[in-house]
Amino acid sequence: MPTMPRPRLILGLLIVMTLVVPATRAAAAGVRVSIACGALGVELALCREAAEEWAQQTGNSVSIVNTPNSSSDRFSLYVQLLASRSPEIDVLQIDVVWPGMLGSHLLDLGPAFADRVPGMFPALTDNNTVDGRLVAIPWYVDAGVLYYRRDLLEKHGIAPPQSWDEMTRAAGTIQTRERAAGQSGLWGFVFQGKPYEGLTCDALEWIASWGGGSFVDADGDITVNNPLAATALRRAASWIGTIAPRGVLNYDEESARGVFQTGNAVFMRNWPYAWALAQGEDSPVRGRVGVIALPKGGPDGRHAGTLGGWQLAVSRYSRHPQAATDLVRHLTSARIQKMRAIRGAYNPTIMALYHDPEILAANPFFEALLPSFVEAIPRPARQTGAHYNQVSAAIWRTVHAVLSGSTDAPEGLEQLQQSLDRIRHRARW
Ligand code: GLC
């Protein structure tokens, strides 16, 4: 892990806002705990509210640190802070693919959460266990889903698509007809096409949906160079400039949501958080959106959503590990997860909450799509351990080159196979 000489400076540059929430009660413990929360959609506001509640209940105070939206940028920030053993952030919100890369810098939360673990999705607690240590507590789980404009599909007599062929045709037909009728800015499909972690997630969905595997198999063998993966990428490349704007090559989650939520796209690939915002009071598409599983590839294909999600971890370099652990207990409790599910569409990590009528009323698709969450496809983070980031960067670079038209799919996959072989050889996984 590279060392970073000036973490304070970097933090100052990257953190958009730092909020100090003072304790109102006479401080019992009186320590200040800082937590780095995500800031996508309403994430930051919900994190702040729950952390403030904890501060008031315990007599401590919290600093809320806003981190970059791109998970790749957030990862770089954490690497710099942790490699320099900075005590500046006590609690870190970490991605589901990071435990193997960051685990050695994080405390073992197993003993403090022994009572909670049995109620959580085992796949997540297993994922967060590195060398027998539970280095992070699952906070919310993500899986890629397909959003569609229910009103437009109904208007044109088109059923929600089950396969990528159907989605491509429906997007093209509605885009052509609506443009002819005056909605000149309408596009068929938006997704995450920028070269970053989000593109690795989208590409995994395309490839797995065609039966082309998940880049690296469970034994660590590299499987990406196969004809079904080529078909999947060729199909995705065909969307650029036809049903998807060329600008999608620089879209992350929020850019895609911006286009969809302003009524300028028929379909969108995104995570569940976009539901709460699309249904928000001020959303132009409120009441006109449906959510279904991502389409299948060819005849042997399947609905495939990438497994995502975020965890809370305590830094080994924290000066207040007990208070920080207590804050994580508060934030990951059933009550706070329920509040976040209702107000932000963040999928709980506690299984029993999927039977909660208020949560299901706020997010009708949670129940129907539960299999998509339970069977979501993991990225090859466990097999590649500390090298996952290099693997993912090689994937997103290749996929971006294929989407942009600078490489064709078979050639790109051949090169990707070679790059991954080289990483594997050096890493000896
Ligand atoms: C979402 C997912 C996360 C993924 C990221 C990619 O935040 O929860 O797992 O890495 O998107 O952009």
Side-chain angles (χ1 to χ4, degrees):
M1 197 174 273
T3 48
M4 169 63 217
R6 309 275 306 274
R8 277 172 191 274
L9 177 66
I10 295 285
L11 197 60
L13 288 174
L14 285 176
I15 292 171
V16 184
M17 183 182 74
T18 299
L19 244 183
V20 176
V21 181
T24 48
R25 251 204 285 152
V31 299
R32 175 175 302 165
V33 174
S34 61
I35 170 168
C37 305
L40 232 66
V42 291
E43 219 177 357
L44 189 68
L46 295 184
C47 177
R48 180 193 308 140
E49 191 180 310
E52 180 173 358
E53 185 185 82
W54 173 83
Q56 288 178 346
Q57 283 172 3
T58 59
N60 295 303
S61 61
V62 283
S63 305
I64 312 287
V65 179
N66 176 355
T67 52
N69 269 351
S70 152
S71 55
S72 308
D73 294 344
R74 209 184 293 179
F75 180 73
S76 310
L77 170 67
Y78 285 174
V79 166
Q80 288 156 6
L81 285 163
L82 294 172
S84 65
R85 301 174 172 249
S86 164
E88 263 177 82
I89 297 185
D90 301 284
V91 176
L92 303 102
Q93 180 178 329
I94 70 166
D95 199 341
V96 69
V97 285
W98 298 349
M101 294 188 290
L102 301 181
S104 60
H105 298 278
L106 306 173
L107 289 186
D108 180 6
L109 298 177
F113 283 81
D115 57 330
R116 297 262 187 97
V117 166
M120 295 188 161
F121 281 111
L124 296 174
T125 46
D126 285 356
N127 177 77
N128 296 357
T129 302
V130 180
D131 297 331
R133 301 162 66 244
L134 181 65
V135 298
I137 305 302
W139 200 16
Y140 66 91
V141 58
D142 262 340
V145 289
L146 186 73
Y147 290 79
Y148 66 96
R149 284 283 300 282
R150 193 196 299 277
D151 56 335
L152 289 180
L153 265 68
E154 277 168 11
K155 175 174 168 192
H156 295 280
I158 295 176
Q162 291 300 308
S163 66
W164 289 115
D165 275 351
E166 287 173 14
M167 195 284 300
T168 306
R169 268 200 305 276
T173 305
I174 298 174
Q175 178 181 300
T176 308
R177 291 187 192 160
E178 288 292 316
R179 283 188 183 182
Q183 207 194 331
S184 55
L186 185 75
W187 286 98
F189 183 39
V190 289
F191 56 92
Q192 293 72 45
K194 172 176 148 172
Y196 78 120
E197 185 62 29
L199 179 55
T200 296
C201 296
D202 287 33
L204 172 59
E205 287 160 354
W206 304 329
I207 293 176
S209 77
W210 283 90
S214 44
F215 309 113
V216 179
D217 70 14
D219 298 329
D221 290 327
I222 294 154
T223 59
V224 70
N225 191 11
N226 69 73
L228 290 168
T231 303
L233 292 192
R234 216 181 277 119
R235 164 57 58 87
S238 78
W239 296 326
I240 310 296
T242 56
I243 59 167
R246 227 185 137 71
V248 82
L249 294 171
N250 206 26
Y251 281 9
D252 59 10
E253 286 82 0
E254 284 293 83
S255 338
R257 183 175 71 83
V259 174
F260 184 79
Q261 200 169 310
T262 47
N264 289 311
V266 184
F267 294 104
M268 166 176 73
R269 183 274 175 206
N270 217 320
W271 307 100
Y273 86 98
W275 169 256
L277 299 156
Q279 289 296 92
E281 301 261 299
D282 55 351
S283 164
V285 295
R286 181 182 163 89
R288 298 196 271 146
V289 174
V291 185
I292 49 174
L294 285 162
K296 290 183 185 179
D300 300 327
R302 54 170 290 195
H303 298 290
T306 293
L307 176 70
W310 292 81
Q311 344 293 315
L312 290 177
V314 177
S315 162
R316 257 181 63 192
Y317 316 113
S318 165
R319 295 202 179 103
H320 311 294
Q322 254 180 340
T325 303
D326 194 52
L327 174 57
V328 174
R329 276 189 72 86
H330 179 81
L331 294 177
T332 56
S333 66
R335 189 172 61 79
I336 299 295
Q337 288 205 27
K338 176 170 174 175
M339 178 277 280
R340 292 170 54 86
I342 292 173
R343 291 180 40 204
Y346 291 106
N347 279 62
T349 59
I350 297 173
M351 292 176 289
L353 291 178
Y354 287 84
H355 303 296
D356 184 299
E358 287 168 287
I359 293 182
L360 298 181
N363 304 285
F365 67 96
F366 272 18
E367 200 168 20
L369 292 192
L370 191 54
S372 306
F373 292 100
V374 176
E375 289 154 26
I377 317 243
R379 283 159 275 173
R382 187 165 265 289
Q383 306 87 303
T384 59
H387 304 275
Y388 172 72
N389 214 36
Q390 274 172 282
V391 167
S392 183
I395 294 170
W396 79 58
R397 269 190 227 113
T398 302
V399 175
H400 195 262
V402 174
L403 294 182
S404 335
S406 58
T407 315
D408 73 12
E411 189 185 316
L413 290 174
E414 171 72 40
Q415 285 163 6
L416 180 57
Q417 172 90 30
Q418 287 167 13
S419 314
L420 297 184
D421 278 338
R422 275 195 298 275
I423 300 173
R424 183 182 188 189
H425 183 73
R426 280 197 306 270
R428 296 172 208 273
W429 72 65

